[in-house]
Amino acid sequence: MAPLESAYLEFIKQFSDQINATHLPKVASNFLGSFYTEDKDELLSALSKQLSGSVKWRDNMQLLSDKQVIEIGPNRPLRGFFKTQGQSITSVINTKSAAKAFKA
């Protein structure tokens, strides 16, 4: 995948104007193992390098360990990962659990 990084970077640059940089610090990067800064160039570079780079899974799990995590989907694969970090998360797997999680 490494040979595709530069072409992918050039492709995603065309969407740079549509990125609201103020929201980037809320997004965890699998490549960096940290939250993004408000630097769009950092985001685009990390996204392209992520194609062939290693995922910093443990760093991401630790990064999110002090945040409220809501897992949405038909199964609960993340629950076990967070449990190993000593954290429980909210799983939304159907309308009943969604109503409970979001107190609708």
Side-chain angles (χ1 to χ4, degrees):
M1 295 299 286
L4 300 176
E5 287 179 13
S6 61
Y8 182 66
L9 177 59
E10 291 307 310
F11 173 75
I12 61 176
K13 278 183 179 179
Q14 68 183 319
F15 304 103
S16 180
D17 292 342
Q18 298 173 35
I19 298 169
N20 183 340
T22 60
H23 294 301
L24 292 179
K26 300 174 187 175
V27 179
S29 166
N30 287 333
F31 177 74
L32 300 173
S34 62
F35 289 105
Y36 288 107
T37 64
E38 291 186 17
D39 183 345
K40 289 182 186 183
D41 290 332
E42 175 195 50
L43 168 71
L44 298 176
S45 175
L47 288 175
S48 66
K49 291 177 182 176
Q50 185 171 298
L51 287 177
S52 63
S54 298
V55 171
K56 296 185 177 173
W57 183 256
R58 290 184 191 270
D59 291 344
N60 275 354
M61 294 297 102
Q62 187 62 41
L63 182 69
L64 298 173
S65 66
D66 66 341
K67 309 287 184 212
Q68 179 186 10
V69 177
I70 300 173
E71 177 179 31
I72 300 174
N75 297 308
R76 302 178 195 175
L78 295 179
R79 184 173 62 169
F81 292 120
F82 280 100
K83 190 174 183 178
T84 65
Q85 302 262 340
Q87 180 184 2
S88 61
I89 65 170
T90 302
S91 295
V92 175
I93 58 172
N94 54 36
T95 55
K96 182 178 178 181
S97 61
K100 182 179 176 183
F102 302 115
K103 296 181 180 39

